[in-house]
Amino acid sequence: MSRILITSALPYAAGAKHLGNLAGSMLPADVYARFQRSRGRETLYICATDEHGTPAELAAADAGLPVSDFCAQAHTRLHDIGRGFGLSFDHFGRSSSPQNHRLTQRFAQQLWEAGFLEERVTQQVYSNADKRFLPDRYVIGACPHCGYEAARGDQCENCTRVLDPADLIKPRSAISGSTDIEIRGSKHLFLRQSLFAGKLRTWIEAKRDHWPLLVTSIALKWLDEGLQDRGITRDLEWGVPVNAFQWGPNPDGQTPDIEGLAGKVFYVWFDAPIEYVAATWEWADARAAEEGRDPPQDAEWERWWRQPAAADVTYVEFMGKDNVPFHTVGFPCTLFGINETLSADGVFTPSNNAPWKLVDQLKGLNWLNYYGGKFSTSQKRGVFMDQALDLLPADYWRWWLTANMPESADSSFTWEQFQDQTNADLADVLGNFVNRILKFTETRFEGAVPAGGLDGPLEAKLDADVLAKLRELTENLESREFRKACASLRQLWVLGNGYLTEAAPWTAFKTDPERAAVAVRTGLNLVALFAKVSEPFIPFASETIALSVGEAFPGRWPSLDGKGLLDILPPGRAVKAPDVLFRKVEDAQVAEWRDRFGGPEAA
């Protein structure tokens, strides 16, 4: 049985995370992880805070805190908010961890010694007002490609083009706002990505039928424009130090310029993807500590990442489209370079290392907007993750965001659509079904699963319809088509309501108690089934539903052979109706929230 390794894009330590961040990576990863666990597959869901780079330094300075303290607080806050949404990370690590420091340094050393790093003097922005070099993200200006006025020196978030600070029009310091800047030379390390262009294209082309078109299109666009070598060090204090003094010679016999690289750290987009691997190391160390064992051997966590031990692992990544280039180009080039060696005459040969695993499936998602515009903390537009949990329980958000996930195009949140859909799906369809069958069981069958009676044509048709829809739901989840999966699940719930309406046990009870018993027993088994298959989407409500009919939680995914599909509960088992599962979102609440968080007039 294949093991499933799942990572979602690391939330950055600086700044609040809005609903689009949740919908674009962490939530689909969690739905998929919960589904795979329910099928009995060994599953590991890894995430972490991305803590290095310029924004963390700036945010820490604004907060009046040392950057290490600021990031530690951000990590705790983001972890707690994630748990509040039911995100079932197996480990939520930190890119500033000792494990990531060691692994990043080790990877860089191997890249140097394999011939895939080289030193270059680059012309960088120096701020006379701030008396320091400005790393890419400290420089702001107009994008030369699309004209976006607030592009950063590393990437334009509007058109997603990767930039160098010198490309910007009318650049200025993000620290002081000063335009008194000049270009000075500084020595840095470059990953020779251009060497991997052919290998990378072959790898990506082979994914065309397996990855979303969005992902392969972005990756191939980069290659079509010409793959450039990429600087992987920065003039910063906060980050993974280079420590080049540990490195041996490259295939040309050259050793790094220790003095020229002193005081530099690795670029955040070099060390952040490595944290996926390092967080797995953190996870193994944490388990050993909990169990009172010595720190595990590398093989214990590397079995998820290195061949041949990882041969049975399917690695799945989830991220927003702005992160796709770094995961389809940058990180694969890092792994290609570690897995191979470049000889002095330019020939690629396999390294002596056990190869590190590349991603198998990459689910890239578009953006979730707010009334057609971007979420913005400064403009007080949109709902952010911590605020959302203060308004409504997590399952409301999980359901709506999954059902409207921006898979094929950008989608937009509006309070009116949110109200209509959650009221219809959660309150009227699922909540109403669970409540009315359990209440009826309490009042007419003494709160126990009734025995007696034989299934008839109505139950046979229901069995067939439920099995067909269950298979459809399963296929949609396996293929990570989340909007389709929500539609399939909702149709399952609708089948339950339709069955109760047609079977009408409240009417049959008066004239044919055994027929009523069949209908009630079938309805209660549908409740148990719904608890199992709804868990990846709405885990909190699913647990309540499962407990109401005496089922363990989390449950196992139903068998697709149809056997025992609606024969889950033994006759005589006590059941109890829960409190209202989903209260309707009222018009007054929508009006209040639209006023508080911005509405269509602010878009």
PDB file of all heavy atoms in Angstrom, residues 18-47:
ATOM      1  N   HIS A  18      -5.263  35.319   5.458  1.00  0.00           N
ATOM      2  CA  HIS A  18      -6.681  35.464   5.128  1.00  0.00           C
ATOM      3  C   HIS A  18      -7.259  34.153   4.609  1.00  0.00           C
ATOM      4  O   HIS A  18      -6.552  33.146   4.482  1.00  0.00           O
ATOM      5  CB  HIS A  18      -6.894  36.609   4.144  1.00  0.00           C
ATOM      6  CG  HIS A  18      -6.084  36.498   2.877  1.00  0.00           C
ATOM      7  ND1 HIS A  18      -6.328  35.544   1.916  1.00  0.00           N
ATOM      8  CD2 HIS A  18      -5.052  37.239   2.419  1.00  0.00           C
ATOM      9  CE1 HIS A  18      -5.499  35.695   0.919  1.00  0.00           C
ATOM     10  NE2 HIS A  18      -4.691  36.711   1.193  1.00  0.00           N
ATOM     11  N   LEU A  19      -8.547  34.172   4.302  1.00  0.00           N
ATOM     12  CA  LEU A  19      -9.211  32.947   3.873  1.00  0.00           C
ATOM     13  C   LEU A  19      -8.632  32.393   2.580  1.00  0.00           C
ATOM     14  O   LEU A  19      -8.654  31.182   2.354  1.00  0.00           O
ATOM     15  CB  LEU A  19     -10.715  33.209   3.698  1.00  0.00           C
ATOM     16  CG  LEU A  19     -11.503  33.528   4.967  1.00  0.00           C
ATOM     17  CD1 LEU A  19     -12.971  33.766   4.624  1.00  0.00           C
ATOM     18  CD2 LEU A  19     -11.371  32.415   5.997  1.00  0.00           C
ATOM     19  N   GLY A  20      -8.087  33.264   1.733  1.00  0.00           N
ATOM     20  CA  GLY A  20      -7.468  32.793   0.509  1.00  0.00           C
ATOM     21  C   GLY A  20      -6.234  31.954   0.774  1.00  0.00           C
ATOM     22  O   GLY A  20      -5.962  30.985   0.057  1.00  0.00           O
ATOM     23  N   ASN A  21      -5.458  32.314   1.806  1.00  0.00           N
ATOM     24  CA  ASN A  21      -4.300  31.505   2.179  1.00  0.00           C
ATOM     25  C   ASN A  21      -4.740  30.116   2.622  1.00  0.00           C
ATOM     26  O   ASN A  21      -4.091  29.113   2.315  1.00  0.00           O
ATOM     27  CB  ASN A  21      -3.519  32.179   3.314  1.00  0.00           C
ATOM     28  CG  ASN A  21      -2.976  33.551   2.953  1.00  0.00           C
ATOM     29  OD1 ASN A  21      -3.161  34.511   3.691  1.00  0.00           O
ATOM     30  ND2 ASN A  21      -2.303  33.654   1.821  1.00  0.00           N
ATOM     31  N   LEU A  22      -5.839  30.069   3.362  1.00  0.00           N
ATOM     32  CA  LEU A  22      -6.366  28.784   3.829  1.00  0.00           C
ATOM     33  C   LEU A  22      -6.856  27.942   2.659  1.00  0.00           C
ATOM     34  O   LEU A  22      -6.518  26.757   2.539  1.00  0.00           O
ATOM     35  CB  LEU A  22      -7.495  29.045   4.823  1.00  0.00           C
ATOM     36  CG  LEU A  22      -8.190  27.828   5.432  1.00  0.00           C
ATOM     37  CD1 LEU A  22      -7.223  26.990   6.249  1.00  0.00           C
ATOM     38  CD2 LEU A  22      -9.375  28.283   6.307  1.00  0.00           C
ATOM     39  N   ALA A  23      -7.628  28.546   1.771  1.00  0.00           N
ATOM     40  CA  ALA A  23      -8.212  27.808   0.650  1.00  0.00           C
ATOM     41  C   ALA A  23      -7.161  27.378  -0.365  1.00  0.00           C
ATOM     42  O   ALA A  23      -7.337  26.371  -1.056  1.00  0.00           O
ATOM     43  CB  ALA A  23      -9.276  28.664  -0.043  1.00  0.00           C
ATOM     44  N   GLY A  24      -6.058  28.132  -0.448  1.00  0.00           N
ATOM     45  CA  GLY A  24      -5.082  27.893  -1.494  1.00  0.00           C
ATOM     46  C   GLY A  24      -4.039  26.844  -1.193  1.00  0.00           C
ATOM     47  O   GLY A  24      -3.288  26.457  -2.091  1.00  0.00           O
ATOM     48  N   SER A  25      -3.965  26.372   0.048  1.00  0.00           N
ATOM     49  CA  SER A  25      -2.937  25.358   0.322  1.00  0.00           C
ATOM     50  C   SER A  25      -3.297  24.473   1.513  1.00  0.00           C
ATOM     51  O   SER A  25      -3.437  23.259   1.368  1.00  0.00           O
ATOM     52  CB  SER A  25      -1.574  26.031   0.567  1.00  0.00           C
ATOM     53  OG  SER A  25      -1.618  26.934   1.662  1.00  0.00           O
ATOM     54  N   MET A  26      -3.445  25.064   2.698  1.00  0.00           N
ATOM     55  CA  MET A  26      -3.568  24.249   3.904  1.00  0.00           C
ATOM     56  C   MET A  26      -4.866  23.461   3.977  1.00  0.00           C
ATOM     57  O   MET A  26      -4.873  22.296   4.394  1.00  0.00           O
ATOM     58  CB  MET A  26      -3.409  25.135   5.148  1.00  0.00           C
ATOM     59  CG  MET A  26      -1.999  25.685   5.315  1.00  0.00           C
ATOM     60  SD  MET A  26      -1.828  26.732   6.782  1.00  0.00           S
ATOM     61  CE  MET A  26      -2.666  28.229   6.243  1.00  0.00           C
ATOM     62  N   LEU A  27      -5.990  24.064   3.576  1.00  0.00           N
ATOM     63  CA  LEU A  27      -7.272  23.354   3.668  1.00  0.00           C
ATOM     64  C   LEU A  27      -7.362  22.189   2.681  1.00  0.00           C
ATOM     65  O   LEU A  27      -7.731  21.078   3.088  1.00  0.00           O
ATOM     66  CB  LEU A  27      -8.433  24.328   3.482  1.00  0.00           C
ATOM     67  CG  LEU A  27      -9.830  23.707   3.556  1.00  0.00           C
ATOM     68  CD1 LEU A  27     -10.045  22.967   4.866  1.00  0.00           C
ATOM     69  CD2 LEU A  27     -10.911  24.781   3.365  1.00  0.00           C
ATOM     70  N   PRO A  28      -7.040  22.377   1.393  1.00  0.00           N
ATOM     71  CA  PRO A  28      -7.093  21.203   0.515  1.00  0.00           C
ATOM     72  C   PRO A  28      -6.133  20.104   0.947  1.00  0.00           C
ATOM     73  O   PRO A  28      -6.452  18.914   0.810  1.00  0.00           O
ATOM     74  CB  PRO A  28      -6.724  21.768  -0.865  1.00  0.00           C
ATOM     75  CG  PRO A  28      -6.088  23.079  -0.600  1.00  0.00           C
ATOM     76  CD  PRO A  28      -6.708  23.602   0.642  1.00  0.00           C
ATOM     77  N   ALA A  29      -4.975  20.490   1.477  1.00  0.00           N
ATOM     78  CA  ALA A  29      -4.036  19.480   1.977  1.00  0.00           C
ATOM     79  C   ALA A  29      -4.654  18.697   3.124  1.00  0.00           C
ATOM     80  O   ALA A  29      -4.500  17.474   3.218  1.00  0.00           O
ATOM     81  CB  ALA A  29      -2.736  20.146   2.426  1.00  0.00           C
ATOM     82  N   ASP A  30      -5.378  19.389   4.004  1.00  0.00           N
ATOM     83  CA  ASP A  30      -5.988  18.709   5.143  1.00  0.00           C
ATOM     84  C   ASP A  30      -7.121  17.788   4.709  1.00  0.00           C
ATOM     85  O   ASP A  30      -7.240  16.662   5.198  1.00  0.00           O
ATOM     86  CB  ASP A  30      -6.511  19.735   6.154  1.00  0.00           C
ATOM     87  CG  ASP A  30      -7.140  19.073   7.359  1.00  0.00           C
ATOM     88  OD1 ASP A  30      -6.391  18.482   8.159  1.00  0.00           O
ATOM     89  OD2 ASP A  30      -8.380  19.108   7.492  1.00  0.00           O
ATOM     90  N   VAL A  31      -7.975  18.267   3.796  1.00  0.00           N
ATOM     91  CA  VAL A  31      -9.073  17.417   3.298  1.00  0.00           C
ATOM     92  C   VAL A  31      -8.492  16.133   2.696  1.00  0.00           C
ATOM     93  O   VAL A  31      -8.975  15.022   2.966  1.00  0.00           O
ATOM     94  CB  VAL A  31      -9.910  18.179   2.247  1.00  0.00           C
ATOM     95  CG1 VAL A  31     -10.929  17.245   1.590  1.00  0.00           C
ATOM     96  CG2 VAL A  31     -10.619  19.372   2.892  1.00  0.00           C
ATOM     97  N   TYR A  32      -7.437  16.293   1.916  1.00  0.00           N
ATOM     98  CA  TYR A  32      -6.820  15.141   1.269  1.00  0.00           C
ATOM     99  C   TYR A  32      -6.161  14.211   2.290  1.00  0.00           C
ATOM    100  O   TYR A  32      -6.275  12.982   2.188  1.00  0.00           O
ATOM    101  CB  TYR A  32      -5.796  15.627   0.253  1.00  0.00           C
ATOM    102  CG  TYR A  32      -5.254  14.546  -0.653  1.00  0.00           C
ATOM    103  CD1 TYR A  32      -6.083  13.897  -1.565  1.00  0.00           C
ATOM    104  CD2 TYR A  32      -3.914  14.196  -0.606  1.00  0.00           C
ATOM    105  CE1 TYR A  32      -5.581  12.911  -2.412  1.00  0.00           C
ATOM    106  CE2 TYR A  32      -3.405  13.212  -1.451  1.00  0.00           C
ATOM    107  CZ  TYR A  32      -4.245  12.581  -2.345  1.00  0.00           C
ATOM    108  OH  TYR A  32      -3.740  11.599  -3.172  1.00  0.00           O
ATOM    109  N   ALA A  33      -5.502  14.792   3.291  1.00  0.00           N
ATOM    110  CA  ALA A  33      -4.847  13.972   4.324  1.00  0.00           C
ATOM    111  C   ALA A  33      -5.878  13.188   5.127  1.00  0.00           C
ATOM    112  O   ALA A  33      -5.692  11.989   5.403  1.00  0.00           O
ATOM    113  CB  ALA A  33      -4.016  14.861   5.248  1.00  0.00           C
ATOM    114  N   ARG A  34      -6.959  13.829   5.514  1.00  0.00           N
ATOM    115  CA  ARG A  34      -8.008  13.144   6.281  1.00  0.00           C
ATOM    116  C   ARG A  34      -8.615  12.002   5.463  1.00  0.00           C
ATOM    117  O   ARG A  34      -8.885  10.916   5.994  1.00  0.00           O
ATOM    118  CB  ARG A  34      -9.093  14.144   6.704  1.00  0.00           C
ATOM    119  CG  ARG A  34      -8.657  15.086   7.824  1.00  0.00           C
ATOM    120  CD  ARG A  34      -9.767  16.090   8.146  1.00  0.00           C
ATOM    121  NE  ARG A  34      -9.425  16.955   9.270  1.00  0.00           N
ATOM    122  CZ  ARG A  34      -9.627  16.654  10.542  1.00  0.00           C
ATOM    123  NH1 ARG A  34     -10.195  15.489  10.852  1.00  0.00           N
ATOM    124  NH2 ARG A  34      -9.298  17.487  11.500  1.00  0.00           N
ATOM    125  N   PHE A  35      -8.836  12.264   4.174  1.00  0.00           N
ATOM    126  CA  PHE A  35      -9.391  11.229   3.304  1.00  0.00           C
ATOM    127  C   PHE A  35      -8.448  10.036   3.206  1.00  0.00           C
ATOM    128  O   PHE A  35      -8.873   8.872   3.340  1.00  0.00           O
ATOM    129  CB  PHE A  35      -9.658  11.832   1.924  1.00  0.00           C
ATOM    130  CG  PHE A  35      -9.930  10.818   0.852  1.00  0.00           C
ATOM    131  CD1 PHE A  35     -11.085  10.048   0.880  1.00  0.00           C
ATOM    132  CD2 PHE A  35      -9.029  10.634  -0.188  1.00  0.00           C
ATOM    133  CE1 PHE A  35     -11.336   9.107  -0.118  1.00  0.00           C
ATOM    134  CE2 PHE A  35      -9.270   9.699  -1.187  1.00  0.00           C
ATOM    135  CZ  PHE A  35     -10.429   8.932  -1.148  1.00  0.00           C
ATOM    136  N   GLN A  36      -7.164  10.294   2.975  1.00  0.00           N
ATOM    137  CA  GLN A  36      -6.212   9.197   2.828  1.00  0.00           C
ATOM    138  C   GLN A  36      -6.070   8.402   4.128  1.00  0.00           C
ATOM    139  O   GLN A  36      -5.961   7.163   4.093  1.00  0.00           O
ATOM    140  CB  GLN A  36      -4.853   9.736   2.366  1.00  0.00           C
ATOM    141  CG  GLN A  36      -4.850  10.314   0.958  1.00  0.00           C
ATOM    142  CD  GLN A  36      -5.136   9.264  -0.108  1.00  0.00           C
ATOM    143  OE1 GLN A  36      -5.134   8.063   0.132  1.00  0.00           O
ATOM    144  NE2 GLN A  36      -5.391   9.729  -1.326  1.00  0.00           N
ATOM    145  N   ARG A  37      -6.068   9.069   5.264  1.00  0.00           N
ATOM    146  CA  ARG A  37      -6.001   8.342   6.542  1.00  0.00           C
ATOM    147  C   ARG A  37      -7.228   7.449   6.703  1.00  0.00           C
ATOM    148  O   ARG A  37      -7.136   6.317   7.189  1.00  0.00           O
ATOM    149  CB  ARG A  37      -5.914   9.334   7.702  1.00  0.00           C
ATOM    150  CG  ARG A  37      -4.605  10.118   7.787  1.00  0.00           C
ATOM    151  CD  ARG A  37      -4.545  10.885   9.099  1.00  0.00           C
ATOM    152  NE  ARG A  37      -3.507  11.912   9.064  1.00  0.00           N
ATOM    153  CZ  ARG A  37      -3.736  13.219   8.968  1.00  0.00           C
ATOM    154  NH1 ARG A  37      -4.987  13.665   8.899  1.00  0.00           N
ATOM    155  NH2 ARG A  37      -2.745  14.067   8.938  1.00  0.00           N
ATOM    156  N   SER A  38      -8.400   7.970   6.308  1.00  0.00           N
ATOM    157  CA  SER A  38      -9.628   7.195   6.487  1.00  0.00           C
ATOM    158  C   SER A  38      -9.631   5.936   5.620  1.00  0.00           C
ATOM    159  O   SER A  38     -10.333   4.973   5.924  1.00  0.00           O
ATOM    160  CB  SER A  38     -10.857   8.059   6.171  1.00  0.00           C
ATOM    161  OG  SER A  38     -11.006   8.258   4.779  1.00  0.00           O
ATOM    162  N   ARG A  39      -8.831   5.944   4.562  1.00  0.00           N
ATOM    163  CA  ARG A  39      -8.730   4.754   3.701  1.00  0.00           C
ATOM    164  C   ARG A  39      -7.678   3.777   4.216  1.00  0.00           C
ATOM    165  O   ARG A  39      -7.405   2.762   3.563  1.00  0.00           O
ATOM    166  CB  ARG A  39      -8.415   5.167   2.266  1.00  0.00           C
ATOM    167  CG  ARG A  39      -9.449   6.103   1.658  1.00  0.00           C
ATOM    168  CD  ARG A  39      -9.523   5.943   0.157  1.00  0.00           C
ATOM    169  NE  ARG A  39     -10.264   4.735  -0.221  1.00  0.00           N
ATOM    170  CZ  ARG A  39     -10.409   4.313  -1.468  1.00  0.00           C
ATOM    171  NH1 ARG A  39      -9.860   4.982  -2.462  1.00  0.00           N
ATOM    172  NH2 ARG A  39     -11.088   3.216  -1.745  1.00  0.00           N
ATOM    173  N   GLY A  40      -7.094   4.080   5.360  1.00  0.00           N
ATOM    174  CA  GLY A  40      -6.150   3.170   5.974  1.00  0.00           C
ATOM    175  C   GLY A  40      -4.729   3.308   5.463  1.00  0.00           C
ATOM    176  O   GLY A  40      -3.881   2.441   5.748  1.00  0.00           O
ATOM    177  N   ARG A  41      -4.428   4.372   4.740  1.00  0.00           N
ATOM    178  CA  ARG A  41      -3.092   4.554   4.185  1.00  0.00           C
ATOM    179  C   ARG A  41      -2.207   5.326   5.164  1.00  0.00           C
ATOM    180  O   ARG A  41      -2.671   6.278   5.800  1.00  0.00           O
ATOM    181  CB  ARG A  41      -3.168   5.287   2.851  1.00  0.00           C
ATOM    182  CG  ARG A  41      -3.856   4.447   1.784  1.00  0.00           C
ATOM    183  CD  ARG A  41      -4.171   5.236   0.539  1.00  0.00           C
ATOM    184  NE  ARG A  41      -4.822   4.368  -0.444  1.00  0.00           N
ATOM    185  CZ  ARG A  41      -5.628   4.809  -1.393  1.00  0.00           C
ATOM    186  NH1 ARG A  41      -5.916   6.095  -1.482  1.00  0.00           N
ATOM    187  NH2 ARG A  41      -6.168   3.964  -2.256  1.00  0.00           N
ATOM    188  N   GLU A  42      -0.964   4.917   5.267  1.00  0.00           N
ATOM    189  CA  GLU A  42      -0.028   5.625   6.130  1.00  0.00           C
ATOM    190  C   GLU A  42       0.221   7.001   5.518  1.00  0.00           C
ATOM    191  O   GLU A  42       0.741   7.129   4.403  1.00  0.00           O
ATOM    192  CB  GLU A  42       1.281   4.847   6.243  1.00  0.00           C
ATOM    193  CG  GLU A  42       2.249   5.451   7.254  1.00  0.00           C
ATOM    194  CD  GLU A  42       3.535   4.657   7.389  1.00  0.00           C
ATOM    195  OE1 GLU A  42       3.680   3.614   6.706  1.00  0.00           O
ATOM    196  OE2 GLU A  42       4.407   5.086   8.168  1.00  0.00           O
ATOM    197  N   THR A  43      -0.177   8.027   6.240  1.00  0.00           N
ATOM    198  CA  THR A  43      -0.193   9.388   5.697  1.00  0.00           C
ATOM    199  C   THR A  43       0.564  10.318   6.627  1.00  0.00           C
ATOM    200  O   THR A  43       0.403  10.267   7.851  1.00  0.00           O
ATOM    201  CB  THR A  43      -1.643   9.878   5.533  1.00  0.00           C
ATOM    202  OG1 THR A  43      -2.339   8.988   4.652  1.00  0.00           O
ATOM    203  CG2 THR A  43      -1.698  11.285   4.976  1.00  0.00           C
ATOM    204  N   LEU A  44       1.368  11.191   6.045  1.00  0.00           N
ATOM    205  CA  LEU A  44       2.126  12.175   6.807  1.00  0.00           C
ATOM    206  C   LEU A  44       1.886  13.544   6.197  1.00  0.00           C
ATOM    207  O   LEU A  44       2.238  13.791   5.042  1.00  0.00           O
ATOM    208  CB  LEU A  44       3.621  11.839   6.782  1.00  0.00           C
ATOM    209  CG  LEU A  44       4.536  12.699   7.653  1.00  0.00           C
ATOM    210  CD1 LEU A  44       4.214  12.490   9.136  1.00  0.00           C
ATOM    211  CD2 LEU A  44       6.007  12.371   7.375  1.00  0.00           C
ATOM    212  N   TYR A  45       1.237  14.433   6.972  1.00  0.00           N
ATOM    213  CA  TYR A  45       0.956  15.797   6.520  1.00  0.00           C
ATOM    214  C   TYR A  45       1.888  16.747   7.258  1.00  0.00           C
ATOM    215  O   TYR A  45       1.799  16.889   8.474  1.00  0.00           O
ATOM    216  CB  TYR A  45      -0.507  16.143   6.745  1.00  0.00           C
ATOM    217  CG  TYR A  45      -0.882  17.586   6.436  1.00  0.00           C
ATOM    218  CD1 TYR A  45      -0.111  18.386   5.606  1.00  0.00           C
ATOM    219  CD2 TYR A  45      -2.030  18.154   6.980  1.00  0.00           C
ATOM    220  CE1 TYR A  45      -0.452  19.701   5.334  1.00  0.00           C
ATOM    221  CE2 TYR A  45      -2.400  19.455   6.705  1.00  0.00           C
ATOM    222  CZ  TYR A  45      -1.600  20.233   5.882  1.00  0.00           C
ATOM    223  OH  TYR A  45      -1.950  21.538   5.623  1.00  0.00           O
ATOM    224  N   ILE A  46       2.774  17.391   6.503  1.00  0.00           N
ATOM    225  CA  ILE A  46       3.811  18.256   7.061  1.00  0.00           C
ATOM    226  C   ILE A  46       3.577  19.698   6.635  1.00  0.00           C
ATOM    227  O   ILE A  46       3.316  19.987   5.462  1.00  0.00           O
ATOM    228  CB  ILE A  46       5.208  17.804   6.566  1.00  0.00           C
ATOM    229  CG1 ILE A  46       5.559  16.421   7.131  1.00  0.00           C
ATOM    230  CG2 ILE A  46       6.283  18.828   6.920  1.00  0.00           C
ATOM    231  CD1 ILE A  46       5.776  16.390   8.628  1.00  0.00           C
ATOM    232  N   CYS A  47       3.689  20.604   7.592  1.00  0.00           N
ATOM    233  CA  CYS A  47       3.648  22.031   7.295  1.00  0.00           C
ATOM    234  C   CYS A  47       4.567  22.739   8.296  1.00  0.00           C
ATOM    235  O   CYS A  47       5.121  22.104   9.200  1.00  0.00           O
ATOM    236  CB  CYS A  47       2.216  22.569   7.357  1.00  0.00           C
ATOM    237  SG  CYS A  47       2.020  24.216   6.616  1.00  0.00           S
TER     238      CYS A  47
END
